[in-house]
Amino acid sequence: MATIKDVAKHAGVAISTASAAINRSAPVSEEVIAKVEAAVRDIGYVPHAAAQSLRMGQSRLIGLILPDITNPHFANVARVVESVCLEAGYMAAVYSTNEDFDRERQILRMMRAQRVAGLIIIPTRSDATHGARLAGEIHVPTVLLDSYVDGLPYDVVKLDNVGAGRLATDYLLGLGHRRIAVTTGRDNIITGEDRLQGYLEAHAAFGVPVDPNLQITGKFLQAVAHDNTLALMRAPAPPTAIFALSNMMMLGVLNALRELKLSVPEDVSVICIDDFDYANIMNPPPTVVAAPVAKMAQTAIEQLFEEILNKSQPTMAVREFVPELIIRESCRRL
Amino acid sequence: MATIKDVAKHAGVAISTASAAINRSAPVSEEVIAKVEAAVRDIGYVPHAAAQSLRMGQSRLIGLILPDITNPHFANVARVVESVCLEAGYMAAVYSTNEDFDRERQILRMMRAQRVAGLIIIPTRSDATHGARLAGEIHVPTVLLDSYVDGLPYDVVKLDNVGAGRLATDYLLGLGHRRIAVTTGRDNIITGEDRLQGYLEAHAAFGVPVDPNLQITGKFLQAVAHDNTLALMRAPAPPTAIFALSNMMMLGVLNALRELKLSVPEDVSVICIDDFDYANIMNPPPTVVAAPVAKMAQTAIEQLFEEILNKSQPTMAVREFVPELIIRESCRRL
DNA sequence: TTGCTTACACGAAACGTTTCGTATAACAGC
DNA sequence: GCTGTTATACGAAACGTTTCGTGTAAGCAA
């Protein structure tokens, strides 16, 4: 493969001059620039990224670590990050943790070996133990997306989750529902807890008591939400509405209701947080509280570049985005 | 950041010895190995991938280039590739072309700059012009997935698309349908043409004439399939069934039918190639011809590693996978 | 002409690895 | 005790860049 040495020889200049001409990093005459550029084109020179990394002490690689790329929510994030990186001449390396902590560490080590310039992490846990373990593996500018992690002192870009929980619950309460079930997240991730808090706050504001039996665990997983919905609806005094704290859990809920031959929204209303790309061909088209995913991803990657390029310290700022209620056909007025 | 020099100093050995101990690349006494490993742990040494790349002339990076990561079909591929890579100590760099040729070239240049060890490409075009342009940018082992490209002499892992087209059409014909519409792909991608050929062959085998008016262009895009379905169903003599050559186009078809207040399968039966992860919460659950996506992705990445690790030449073999009919509720017997 | 500045081109060092040829010590054979 | 062999540790070179200090010719003022 052609090196800059070949370019220099071909253009009849020194290596350092060729480098300066290519990168405009030092004054070079127009004439020489033209010769060098011609040489680059002629021999098809593409700089060796590893050599550049080595010399400059930093690669043009951005790591994006997320729970699962097949979840459309995260795929949308990936697409945005990837585009912005490409434009900036960086390469995005996307990795799914599959919620596996060993795997997460393995990925971080690999990112470290690659000397990535920065990291965007969509965390799977928020607790300090986990944060401490992660902290030791991170040595580059980092932005946390969707949630934060205790003990990881980085910028955060997230949804107003309490607000999202309230928005969904307010809507159901406004429709006259008084027994609203909720599929919760996992204990150790704050996103779910915040959304649940919104659910509780909305009840308090409406003066409606909450029934703890209506809070079923979903762990952000489709299968878990499915199983517990089955149990919930078979128990005495089932709810008239179900609020799924994430889109994956809503799928589980819908599947369970379908198996029970309960129709939505006639028998039970359903709402969730996070929109679906293909909402309109779903059965029924779901009413959701949507997050501005693309805008959030864009903000995260831009914040990251800000820190990388200007070598600025993380402000540890938390940027919260406002959720939006999208009314479709999965909730009915009682 | 700690270097191998620090490891060597800490262990009281030479750099070359430390390297040999870490990589087991030369005989080193047990005693020294122990000392070096302790040093590695103590100072948290992680090898500098760029330096390794530079020295060894190859990176531990695999490029995966696909049309669009937010398409669940491709996301599933990405997940498999990513996992296999991670296990092998490689890093996968996933990039979406968005069917944009300039962008595809830009991505390839970046892959080249990174000196990726290998490439998996899910092509967006099959024609020779495109192949020729791509060929100049590729200098590493490559495997083509889902489709091939004229003039790109690499191994191919794909579905038996003609068979898939036949399978879907046979099924509809067997249900008594005689006017079966089909949303075609793009002219310059062979996948669509093969599937269409299966459609034609099935008709011939059944002795059913095909009506060219029932072949509408879909370009593999949801929006295009949507618009043309609208026109198709409003025209005189509409079909009793629609065969979408891809899952995205089926979404467009379903949306269009929904807008026209036509129900599936009562008014019109619908089938497509490629399954949906969330098929059972769709309206209606679609009957599809599924490809063994995970198995195909696995085969592709393993074939790629075979070529990378054994430095074997591409056999230019075409591995075809057998499609499977999954009957759900979107097709009815006439 | 001389001296000073400017503009540009050059050479060499350094980034962190791996690898290859060489050095040294231990040991066996005679 | 000498030579030959084996086992293991070492030093130096090389991978392809960028960068910094130096060199040189041209331009300008006096």
Side-chain angles (χ1 to χ4, degrees):
Chain A
M1 199 98 60
T3 74
I4 199 171
K5 198 171 160 187
D6 302 319
V7 172
K9 196 179 301 175
H10 195 277
V13 299
I15 293 178
S16 55
T17 307
S19 172
I22 291 170
N23 301 310
R24 304 281 196 283
S25 54
V28 179
S29 67
E30 286 304 323
E31 184 203 345
V32 169
I33 287 183
K35 275 197 299 186
V36 170
E37 285 182 341
V40 167
R41 244 174 295 116
D42 284 357
I43 63 182
Y45 168 71
V46 175
H48 194 306
Q52 289 179 316
S53 289
L54 179 58
R55 169 64 220 221
M56 313 210 287
Q58 193 193 248
S59 75
R60 295 176 79 79
L61 226 48
I62 300 287
L64 171 60
I65 301 180
L66 40 76
D68 178 9
I69 188 67
T70 64
N71 179 327
H73 174 83
F74 300 130
N76 278 312
V77 172
R79 180 163 62 175
V80 173
V81 169
E82 188 197 292
S83 281
V84 175
C85 283
L86 193 63
E87 235 167 274
Y90 278 68
M91 185 148 138
V94 184
Y95 256 96
S96 302
T97 60
N98 297 343
E99 320 246 332
D100 176 332
F101 309 133
D102 285 341
R103 186 169 158 132
E104 187 163 16
R105 287 183 52 145
Q106 198 182 348
I107 292 169
L108 279 171
R109 294 197 96 232
M110 176 154 283
M111 296 288 180
R112 205 169 138 208
Q114 296 285 349
R115 303 301 196 269
V116 294
L119 230 34
I120 294 184
I121 302 180
I122 304 182
T124 52
R125 291 178 57 173
S126 306
D127 58 283
T129 317
H130 188 226
R133 279 202 298 204
L134 255 47
E137 299 280 353
I138 302 180
H139 301 75
V140 290
T142 297
V143 172
L144 300 172
L145 185 57
D146 278 1
S147 192
Y148 62 79
V149 181
D150 250 9
L152 246 40
Y154 302 112
D155 281 55
V156 178
V157 174
K158 65 187 278 291
L159 187 69
D160 171 10
N161 286 301
V162 178
R166 272 200 75 144
L167 194 54
T169 315
D170 277 347
Y171 177 65
L172 290 173
L173 288 166
L175 290 178
H177 292 274
R178 286 302 174 264
R179 292 188 54 72
I180 303 171
V182 59
T183 67
T184 62
R186 242 175 291 105
D187 282 348
N188 39 28
I189 179 91
I190 194 73
T191 312
E193 291 174 23
D194 281 351
R195 292 174 182 181
L196 182 62
Q197 195 195 322
Y199 164 90
L200 298 174
E201 284 181 8
H203 278 79
F206 263 76
V208 174
V210 298
D211 178 352
N213 291 325
L214 294 181
Q215 292 176 30
I216 64 175
T217 60
K219 299 195 173 184
F220 285 127
L221 297 174
Q222 186 176 349
V224 177
H226 167 271
D227 294 351
N228 287 327
T229 302
L230 244 37
L232 172 77
M233 299 308 293
R234 282 170 179 153
T240 63
I242 302 177
F243 172 22
L245 257 32
S246 80
N247 53 2
M248 285 297 120
M249 293 197 286
M250 180 161 193
L251 296 178
V253 169
L254 291 176
N255 278 333
L257 296 177
R258 188 181 174 86
E259 285 168 30
L260 294 170
K261 307 262 187 255
L262 292 171
S263 43
V264 178
E266 289 74 19
D267 297 320
V268 47
S269 293
V270 181
I271 196 172
C272 75
I273 293 180
D274 261 345
D275 200 7
F276 297 87
D277 282 354
Y278 313 120
N280 40 358
I281 52 91
M282 284 174 64
N283 179 25
T287 293
V288 303
V289 170
V293 183
K295 223 192 307 176
M296 288 169 63
Q298 179 104 18
T299 304
I301 181 69
E302 282 171 359
Q303 168 66 24
L304 184 61
F305 274 127
E306 154 72 20
E307 285 179 32
I308 292 173
L309 300 178
N310 305 339
K311 299 191 199 305
S312 56
Q313 289 301 308
T315 58
M316 290 188 59
V318 176
R319 284 182 185 66
E320 278 204 345
F321 282 73
V322 179
E324 180 195 5
L325 179 68
I326 300 180
I327 298 174
R328 295 201 187 89
E329 304 170 24
S330 65
C331 299
R332 79 176 182 105
R333 181 173 296 279
L334 277 198
Chain B
M1 196 98 61
T3 74
I4 199 169
K5 198 170 161 186
D6 302 319
V7 172
K9 196 179 299 177
H10 196 276
V13 299
I15 293 177
S16 55
T17 307
S19 172
I22 291 170
N23 302 308
R24 304 282 196 283
S25 54
V28 179
S29 67
E30 287 303 323
E31 183 202 346
V32 169
I33 287 182
K35 273 197 298 187
V36 169
E37 285 183 341
V40 166
R41 243 173 295 116
D42 285 357
I43 64 181
Y45 167 71
V46 175
H48 194 306
Q52 289 179 316
S53 289
L54 180 58
R55 170 63 220 218
M56 313 210 289
Q58 191 193 252
S59 75
R60 294 175 80 78
L61 225 49
I62 299 288
L64 171 60
I65 301 180
L66 40 76
D68 178 8
I69 189 67
T70 64
N71 180 327
H73 173 83
F74 301 130
N76 277 312
V77 172
R79 180 163 62 175
V80 173
V81 168
E82 187 196 293
S83 282
V84 175
C85 284
L86 193 63
E87 236 167 90
Y90 279 68
M91 186 149 139
V94 184
Y95 258 96
S96 301
T97 60
N98 296 345
E99 321 245 333
D100 176 332
F101 309 133
D102 285 340
R103 185 169 160 135
E104 187 163 15
R105 286 184 55 145
Q106 199 182 349
I107 292 169
L108 280 170
R109 294 198 97 232
M110 177 154 281
M111 297 288 180
R112 204 170 138 207
Q114 296 285 348
R115 302 302 195 267
V116 294
L119 230 34
I120 293 184
I121 302 179
I122 304 181
T124 53
R125 291 177 56 173
S126 306
D127 58 284
T129 317
H130 188 225
R133 279 203 297 207
L134 256 48
E137 299 280 352
I138 303 180
H139 301 75
V140 290
T142 298
V143 172
L144 300 173
L145 185 56
D146 278 2
S147 193
Y148 62 80
V149 180
D150 250 10
L152 246 41
Y154 302 110
D155 281 55
V156 178
V157 175
K158 64 188 280 290
L159 187 69
D160 170 10
N161 286 302
V162 178
R166 273 202 75 144
L167 194 54
T169 315
D170 278 346
Y171 176 65
L172 290 173
L173 289 166
L175 289 178
H177 292 273
R178 287 301 174 265
R179 291 187 55 72
I180 303 172
V182 59
T183 68
T184 62
R186 242 175 293 105
D187 283 347
N188 39 27
I189 179 91
I190 194 74
T191 312
E193 291 174 23
D194 282 351
R195 292 175 182 181
L196 182 62
Q197 194 195 323
Y199 164 90
L200 297 175
E201 284 180 9
H203 277 79
F206 262 76
V208 173
V210 297
D211 178 354
N213 292 325
L214 295 181
Q215 293 177 29
I216 64 174
T217 59
K219 299 194 173 184
F220 285 127
L221 297 174
Q222 185 176 350
V224 177
H226 167 271
D227 295 351
N228 287 328
T229 301
L230 244 37
L232 172 75
M233 298 308 293
R234 281 169 179 156
T240 62
I242 302 178
F243 171 23
L245 256 32
S246 81
N247 53 1
M248 285 298 119
M249 291 197 286
M250 180 161 193
L251 296 178
V253 170
L254 291 176
N255 277 335
L257 295 177
R258 189 182 174 87
E259 285 168 30
L260 295 170
K261 309 262 188 252
L262 292 171
S263 44
V264 179
E266 290 74 17
D267 297 320
V268 47
S269 294
V270 180
I271 195 172
C272 76
I273 293 180
D274 262 344
D275 201 7
F276 298 87
D277 282 353
Y278 313 120
N280 41 358
I281 52 92
M282 285 174 63
N283 179 24
T287 293
V288 302
V289 170
V293 183
K295 223 193 307 177
M296 288 169 63
Q298 180 104 17
T299 305
I301 180 68
E302 282 172 358
Q303 168 66 26
L304 185 61
F305 273 127
E306 154 73 19
E307 285 179 32
I308 292 172
L309 300 177
N310 305 340
K311 299 190 198 305
S312 55
Q313 289 302 308
T315 59
M316 291 188 58
V318 176
R319 284 184 186 64
E320 278 206 342
F321 283 73
V322 178
E324 181 195 4
L325 179 68
I326 300 180
I327 298 174
R328 296 202 185 89
E329 303 171 24
S330 65
C331 299
R332 77 174 183 106
R333 181 173 296 280
L334 278 197

